[in-house]
Amino acid sequence: MARQIVVDPVTRIEGHLKVEAVVENGVVKDARCSGMLFRGIELILKGRDPRDAQIITQRICGVCPQCHGIAAARALDHAFGIKDRIPPNGQLVRCLIQGIHQISDHILHFYHLAALDYVDVARATEGLDGETIAANPGLASLQGFLARGELGPFVPRYEGDYRLPAEVNRQVCLHYLRALEMRRRGHEMVAVLGGKIPHSVGVVPGGAVFQPTVDKVAALLWRFKEVKQFVDQVYLPDVLQVAEKYSDYFTIGSGCQKLLSYGAYETPQGKLFKEGLVNGILASDRVGWRADFDPDQITEEVTSSWYQTGELGSQRPHQGETVPLPDREGGYSWIKSPRYGGEVREVGPLAHVLANYAAGDAATVKLVDWALATLKAPMEALYSVMGRHLARALATKLIADQVEGWLLALDPQSLVYQEYQIPEDGWGMG
């Protein structure tokens, strides 16, 4: 007999998501994901100075605003005819703002949004004597919470499938607390580079507004050293330890296996993450790995959304309209559905890492091969629930390895911003 499961809202995300699934004899027969919040950013932007876009679009999210602001600024660079004239300093500052924020965001994702599915906080101090606990402030804090029954934000929760050995479980609990410090450290750095956090003001059409000085660069290097150490010595090892104990999670959640990378972190030497398409699971020799990315293939669908359908059906994003129709028959979401050549594509850290791997990027190939060998896992393991955790950690490592070089490449004597004139009309994408 079929039964319906409804999770509303889905917690631990920013986006007000509802998931409905019809399950029969242990098999999902039908499912839908619904975005339950109408945002209307496109409508808010109408009639405003175009230079407001990189500020307003960041309000899409308080967790990941930087990518929206930088995408909007790049779209305006294109529309204003200056996308190839951004000063090297401006490119580097943008990379630093986005990169440092994304590093702290990935740390947040693993420890504060996902790890509690694998870590049992209630057992963190089991089997330890009082002297050991007293010598460790983190353990003492956890024991105090346990003793008083004050386990928020760790409870209430779904009881997880907890497999970690006691010592590893204890370590990851403590790393949860340290990760909060790393998140704060990342926010401090982004505030220096971008003016404030969240919703920074430091990225603008033409480049950035942060003018580097020797003192500021030294202060940023000092702060980042601690974050880099955490990535190398704590975050990546913790992901590997969890993945080892949950190896069966490498076999679920494979997704569409069609990946799309737009490319990211554009520096004077090129993009850190390459652009392109990865179709299916990569072969070990990587032959036939990647197709070229063609932005003209991107469309938006509103077939199942609460919007009025345009006469042309699927449309390019800059041609589409946003006309709310909350009572539209057949609609169940405020989210539009992006398509590439009419197909579903997955973007994000997995796509970035595998596009680089497929391109033969030496650092990426070495890192991915090492991680898979450590876990004795095949390439297809990356296309999974646990594989995405691993890909996110590997992407974080690749970004973190570049940040110090980006900081040292900043030139206090050079411009961070390209002057421009706003044209009478134009369009752009980022």
Side-chain angles (χ1 to χ4, degrees):
M1 182 176 177
R3 66 189 183 104
Q4 185 180 35
I5 298 173
V6 179
V7 182
D8 180 19
V10 176
T11 56
R12 304 192 207 166
I13 63 166
E14 171 54 42
H16 310 279
L17 189 70
K18 173 184 178 181
V19 173
E20 303 168 89
V22 176
V23 181
E24 185 175 358
N25 298 323
V27 177
V28 176
K29 295 294 186 179
D30 189 22
R32 57 175 57 176
C33 296
S34 306
M36 303 306 292
L37 176 67
F38 173 68
R39 299 171 187 268
I41 295 292
E42 306 96 316
L43 303 182
I44 294 170
L45 289 171
K46 279 188 175 182
R48 302 184 69 103
D49 188 309
R51 293 167 296 185
D52 290 345
Q54 78 276 8
I55 301 298
I56 292 174
T57 57
Q58 291 186 63
R59 269 64 185 179
I60 291 171
C61 183
V63 179
C64 58
Q66 310 304 332
C67 55
H68 302 291
I70 289 175
R74 289 174 60 83
L76 293 174
D77 293 341
H78 186 185
F80 296 168
I82 55 172
K83 68 174 185 175
D84 297 322
R85 293 160 51 200
I86 309 303
N89 261 5
Q91 290 181 324
L92 291 169
V93 171
R94 287 181 176 186
C95 287
L96 287 164
I97 289 174
Q98 185 175 3
I100 293 168
H101 189 273
Q102 196 152 53
I103 290 168
S104 65
D105 212 34
H106 288 343
I107 290 171
L108 167 85
H109 177 273
F110 178 71
Y111 286 100
H112 306 129
L113 302 183
L116 295 180
D117 288 333
Y118 313 110
V119 180
D120 188 355
V121 180
R123 293 192 300 116
T125 59
E126 280 184 1
L128 294 180
D129 58 66
E131 185 177 342
T132 301
I133 293 173
N136 191 311
L139 287 175
S141 296
L142 285 173
Q143 188 187 49
F145 292 148
L146 288 166
R148 296 189 301 271
E150 298 173 357
L151 268 179
F154 306 112
V155 295
R157 65 180 183 183
Y158 292 110
E159 286 302 310
D161 173 20
Y162 303 123
R163 307 179 191 176
L164 297 179
E167 183 57 34
V168 175
N169 185 76
R170 190 157 34 247
Q171 287 177 0
V172 181
C173 284
L174 293 176
H175 295 163
Y176 177 106
L177 300 176
R178 281 194 63 197
L180 293 171
E181 292 293 325
M182 296 304 104
R183 177 74 169 171
R184 183 175 70 176
R185 190 71 70 222
H187 276 193
E188 290 171 353
M189 297 178 69
V190 174
V192 171
L193 290 158
K196 69 186 188 74
I197 184 74
H199 309 139
S200 300
V201 294
V203 174
V204 294
V209 300
F210 172 80
Q211 186 62 49
T213 65
V214 173
D215 289 349
K216 288 179 181 177
V217 170
L220 290 166
L221 283 168
W222 170 78
R223 284 182 170 89
F224 186 71
K225 182 178 180 180
E226 186 180 3
V227 177
K228 177 70 163 59
Q229 188 178 53
F230 184 88
V231 170
D232 291 341
Q233 299 180 12
V234 180
Y235 174 33
L236 186 52
D238 279 352
V239 171
L240 291 173
Q241 288 194 90
V242 171
E244 183 181 7
K245 295 299 179 183
Y246 292 84
S247 57
D248 52 319
Y249 281 43
F250 280 128
T251 65
I252 57 176
S254 62
C256 64
Q257 298 183 3
K258 294 181 179 180
L259 311 179
L260 166 59
S261 170
Y262 299 105
Y265 301 102
E266 187 163 1
T267 73
Q269 289 73 43
K271 293 180 178 178
L272 171 60
F273 293 125
K274 317 303 179 190
E275 65 179 40
L277 313 176
V278 178
N279 299 312
I281 295 172
L282 286 176
S284 58
D285 58 4
R286 304 193 297 281
V287 173
W289 50 270
R290 192 178 68 160
D292 290 335
F293 166 60
D294 176 9
D296 289 340
Q297 295 296 312
I298 297 175
T299 57
E300 290 180 331
E301 305 277 354
V302 295
T303 305
S304 300
S305 303
W306 288 310
Y307 297 107
Q308 180 175 301
T309 304
E311 294 181 4
L312 301 177
S314 300
Q315 292 184 320
R316 298 281 306 285
H318 70 287
Q319 297 171 327
E321 296 182 337
T322 299
V323 182
L325 204 61
D327 298 323
R328 181 169 175 266
E329 186 177 353
Y332 60 82
S333 178
W334 286 114
I335 298 174
K336 298 181 181 181
S337 301
R339 295 290 182 264
Y340 183 89
E343 294 183 324
V344 172
R345 290 274 172 176
E346 179 178 345
V347 297
L350 177 63
H352 279 159
V353 168
L354 290 186
N356 263 27
Y357 191 96
D361 177 74
T364 305
V365 171
K366 181 179 179 181
L367 187 61
V368 170
D369 286 349
W370 165 79
L372 292 177
T374 299
L375 294 168
K376 299 180 176 60
M379 178 63 72
E380 54 262 34
L382 288 172
Y383 301 76
S384 68
V385 171
M386 191 56 65
R388 288 183 182 83
H389 282 307
L390 179 58
R392 190 180 294 269
L394 298 178
T396 304
K397 165 73 173 164
L398 291 168
I399 298 167
D401 285 347
Q402 299 299 313
V403 167
E404 183 175 345
W406 292 340
L407 282 168
L408 293 174
L410 290 172
D411 181 2
Q413 307 303 317
S414 297
L415 297 174
V416 295
Y417 171 78
Q418 170 65 49
E419 293 282 354
Y420 58 86
Q421 296 292 324
I422 299 179
E424 287 292 327
D425 55 63
W427 77 275
M429 62 180 179

